[in-house]
Amino acid sequence: MTYLNYIDGQWVPAQSGRTIENRNPANTADLIGTFPDSSADDAARAVAAARRAFDSWRLVPAPKRAEILFKAAQIIADRKETFARDMTREMGKVLDETRGDVQEAIDMTYFLAGEGRRLHGQTAPSELRDKFAMSIRQPVGVCALITPWNFPMAIPSWKIIPALVCGNTVVLKPSELTPLSALHFVKVLEEAGVPPGVVNMVTGGPAVGETLTTHPDVSVVSFTGSTAVGKLVNQNCAPHFKKVHLEMGGKNAIMILDDAVLELALEGCLWGGFGTTGQRCTAASRVIIHEKVHDRFVEQFIERAKALRVGDGLDPQMQVGPSISEKQLEKVMGYVEIGKQEGATVACGGRRLTGAAHANGFFHEPTIFTGVTRSMRIAREEIFGPVVSVIKCASLDEAVSIGNDVVYGLSASIYTQDINRAFQAMRDLYTGIFYVNAPTIGAEVHLPFGGTKATGNGHREAGLASLDVFSEWKSIYVDFSGKLQRAQID
Ligand code: NAD
C-alpha cells in the first residue's frame, strides 16, 4: 500500500515523491506500506492550509465542533479491532495492548468532545459598581503536533482532540516508525466531517519537525518524545515565543516496602517493567525494594520474568513484543553491557533472542539487573526496553531519596499496607503521576498526564489541564455604568 499526506482536505504525496517504508518490527519481511518522506515544503503547505482554515473553524460554535468529534469517537469504536491489529503490525506491542491504545483514543475523544458544551470560563464580581467581569478561553491558532511511536493512536488523539475542541487547526507529524495508526485516526476525522485544512498530517522525519517548530505561522507546538529532541524543539520555538508543550522521558520507580503484599507487587513489577516491552514513558524501569523482603521478591521476580512469552504480538499467546527497531534494540543491548561493566548482576535475560521464531524481528529477553546502586547509569538513564534495575533500600526515606534521585519526574509508585507511609510517599515523590499498590503505568484520560524536571515543562496532557495548552485566557470587563470608572482608584 502507498499511503499519502493529508493537506487541506486532499490526500497527496510528498512533493519530492520520496517515500519511507513502514515494516513490522516482529517480522521485517512484512512491509506494511510506504509513506511520504516529506520535506520542509510539504510541512509549509500544511501550515498554510491550517492557517487559512483557522479563520472559519475558530468561529464554529464549540458544541458543533464537538458533534463532529463525537461522531469520530463512534467510528473509531466501530473499527477498534482493525486498528488494533494494524497497530500491532506496525509497532509490535501485543494485541491486548494495542486494543488499549485504540480505546484510549476513543476515551479521549469522547471525554474532550464533552468539553464542547462546557469549555468553562469564570465570572467574578467586579470591584466597581455596574461593571461585569469574566474570563473565557480563546483558540490560539495553528498547532504543530509531534508524536512518538510507542502510543501511535493514543498520543495523536491526546493532542488533536483538545486542540480541535478549543477551535484551533492542526498539523500532525507522527513518528516515521508508526504513521499508519495516526493516518487511521486522521481519516476517521475526515469521515466524521472535520472541514478541509482543519486537520493536516505530514509524515516524515526531523526535517518536517524542524519546519513545524520554526515556522512563524505555528502558534503552539505540542511535542511528545525524547528529552534530547524536546530540548531542540524548545530551542527552535524560543525565538518566536511559541507556546511549547513538552512531554519527554522517564525513569520511573516502584517502591516496595517490607509490609507490601509481595504477590501484588510482583504482578505490578512484571506489568510495569515488561509491558509494552518496557517502551512506555511511564515504564517501571527501577524497583526499589526494602532489604528485608529483597531476596524473597527477587527470586520470584526472576522466575516469573523468565516465564514471559516473547514474540509476535498478533499471536494471542505472547505477552511481550519486539523493540520498535534495530536501533532501539541496539540501545537496549548497549545498556545491558553498561550494566555489566558497572558491576551489576544480570539476574535473568540479557540477550537478544535469535531463534527461528525471533530471527526476523527485534526481540530481547526480559532482563533483570540486581545489585544495582543509585549512581549506576542503568539506574539513572532511560533505556526504553525490557530491562529492570533492582535497588535495595533500608527505609521509606531512603526509597524516596533514591526515587527522586534522577533527572526525570514522570511516574512513581509504592506498595505498602501502611496508609501513613503511602501518604508520605505520595507527598514526597516529585513526579507528575503517583500510584499506590499499583505499578507506574495505567493513566486514565480524564486526569492530567505529564511530569516534572526533564520530563516536562510545566504543562499537562489529558484531563481538563490539556485545554490550557490549546487555549489562551482572555479576561473581559463590561462597564455598564455609563461613566468612566477607574480600577484601583475610584
Ligand atoms: P524521539 O524524540 O526520537 O521522536 C519524537 C518525535 O520527534 C518523532 O516524531 C520524531 O520524528 C520527531 N523529531 C525528531 N527530531 C526532531 C527535530 N529535530 N525537531 C522536531 N521533531 C523531531 O522519540 P521517540 O523515539 O519517537 O519516542 C520515545 C521517547 O518518547 C522516549 O524518551 C519516551 O519516554 C518519550 N515519551 C514520552 C511520553 C510522555 O508523555 N512523557 C509519552 C510517550 C513517549
Side-chain angles (χ1 to χ4, degrees):
M1 275 295 283
T2 304
Y3 295 96
L4 300 170
N5 284 333
Y6 186 60
I7 300 177
D8 212 5
Q10 305 290 319
W11 293 93
V12 292
Q15 289 182 59
S16 68
R18 283 200 311 268
T19 57
I20 31 178
E21 288 186 343
N22 180 8
R23 287 183 181 273
N24 182 342
N27 171 16
T28 53
D30 178 20
L31 175 65
I32 289 154
T34 61
F35 288 79
D37 184 8
S38 310
S39 63
D41 287 346
D42 300 301
R45 278 186 58 212
V47 172
R51 180 66 200 81
R52 284 192 299 276
F54 177 62
D55 291 338
S56 48
W57 181 248
R58 76 186 178 89
L59 299 177
V60 174
K64 293 285 167 203
R65 297 196 289 257
E67 278 175 22
I68 300 175
L69 304 182
F70 277 122
K71 211 180 284 176
Q74 188 55 52
I75 300 172
I76 304 167
D78 294 343
R79 296 186 197 155
K80 178 173 168 181
E81 191 59 23
T82 312
F83 289 171
R85 285 185 176 274
D86 278 354
M87 193 188 293
T88 292
R89 263 181 81 204
E90 76 168 349
M91 188 273 166
K93 59 188 172 187
V94 299
L95 256 181
D96 263 356
E97 292 194 36
T98 51
R99 288 184 187 121
D101 194 306
V102 178
Q103 187 59 45
E104 204 165 305
I106 297 166
D107 294 345
M108 187 61 87
T109 306
Y110 273 127
F111 167 61
L112 282 171
E115 281 310 298
R117 286 198 178 266
R118 288 183 288 267
L119 283 181
H120 294 310
Q122 297 129 9
T123 58
S126 166
E127 62 191 43
L128 293 162
R129 241 191 87 156
D130 299 335
K131 196 171 178 188
F132 190 87
M134 63 186 158
S135 64
I136 59 166
R137 288 186 186 277
Q138 295 241 287
V140 196
V142 176
C143 305
L145 314 176
I146 301 175
T147 54
W149 46 264
N150 64 337
F151 279 83
M153 188 175 284
I155 294 181
S157 81
W158 293 3
K159 299 184 188 299
I160 293 177
I161 301 301
L164 294 188
V165 83
C166 286
N168 305 283
T169 55
V170 307
V171 178
L172 169 69
K173 191 212 89 61
S175 167
E176 52 274 53
L177 296 170
T178 54
L180 181 58
S181 300
L183 183 142
H184 283 325
F185 192 76
V186 167
K187 239 179 173 10
V188 165
L189 291 169
E190 179 193 26
E191 242 178 278
V194 171
V198 171
V199 171
N200 305 272
M201 185 186 77
V202 182
T203 58
V208 177
E210 271 168 33
T211 307
L212 294 177
T213 52
T214 51
H215 198 295
D217 284 343
V218 169
S219 305
V220 178
V221 173
S222 178
F223 166 88
T224 300
S226 61
T227 297
V229 175
K231 197 175 209 177
L232 287 176
V233 167
N234 212 11
Q235 284 164 350
N236 281 343
C237 290
H240 301 272
F241 304 107
K242 292 185 195 306
K243 196 168 180 185
V244 195
H245 160 228
L246 304 170
E247 293 292 343
M248 301 173 286
K251 189 73 187 175
N252 315 288
I254 290 180
M255 299 176 288
I256 306 173
L257 301 190
D258 50 352
D259 66 339
V261 177
L262 282 192
E263 181 54 31
L264 188 65
L266 185 59
E267 294 292 342
C269 291
L270 288 164
W271 175 226
F274 302 118
T276 325
T277 320
Q279 300 176 120
R280 286 194 188 216
C281 51
T282 50
S285 54
R286 295 183 292 159
V287 172
I288 303 168
I289 182 158
H290 198 282
E291 58 194 8
K292 278 195 201 155
V293 289
H294 173 276
D295 293 355
R296 196 148 47 95
F297 174 83
V298 161
E299 191 185 325
Q300 293 171 41
F301 191 28
I302 293 167
E303 195 181 310
R304 295 285 299 276
K306 277 184 177 165
L308 290 170
R309 294 181 294 277
V310 182
D312 186 340
L314 287 173
D315 176 346
Q317 298 303 313
M318 294 304 140
Q319 295 165 294
V320 179
S323 293
I324 183 70
S325 63
E326 184 72 39
K327 191 170 151 215
Q328 192 63 34
L329 180 60
E330 277 168 10
K331 184 176 172 197
V332 170
M333 294 192 296
Y335 271 105
V336 170
E337 284 313 309
I338 290 169
K340 286 183 197 164
Q341 280 160 22
E342 288 179 311
T345 305
V346 179
C348 73
R351 282 168 313 182
R352 180 179 189 157
L353 286 160
T354 51
H358 300 110
N360 284 335
F362 311 122
F363 296 97
H364 195 275
E365 292 174 325
T367 299
I368 297 172
F369 273 109
T370 52
V372 179
T373 61
R374 65 160 89 188
S375 59
M376 291 181 183
R377 287 181 62 192
I378 55 168
R380 309 184 74 78
E381 297 175 16
E382 186 181 53
I383 301 175
F384 229 54
V387 181
V388 177
S389 297
V390 180
I391 307 167
K392 252 189 212 173
C393 68
S395 65
L396 171 61
D397 285 344
E398 195 189 359
V400 168
S401 159
I402 297 169
N404 279 330
D405 193 10
V406 287
V407 296
Y408 302 108
L410 185 50
S411 182
S413 92
I414 190 163
Y415 282 86
T416 179
Q417 295 299 295
D418 181 335
I419 189 87
N420 297 345
R421 297 207 283 177
F423 266 90
Q424 187 186 329
M426 232 181 275
R427 183 193 61 197
D428 292 344
L429 258 291
Y430 188 49
T431 55
I433 306 169
F434 193 81
Y435 295 86
V436 176
N437 290 327
T440 52
I441 66 179
E444 300 177 28
V445 302
H446 49 299
L447 276 78
F449 182 97
T452 62
K453 302 192 281 187
T455 298
N457 65 337
H459 294 284
R460 288 293 182 271
E461 198 133 64
L464 295 184
S466 61
L467 301 176
D468 292 333
V469 172
F470 297 105
S471 62
E472 297 267 25
W473 283 110
K474 182 182 275 179
S475 299
I476 300 174
Y477 302 92
V478 182
D479 192 319
F480 56 100
S481 69
K483 60 180 188 212
L484 175 68
Q485 299 195 86
R486 298 172 303 171
Q488 292 88 39
I489 296 172
D490 290 334

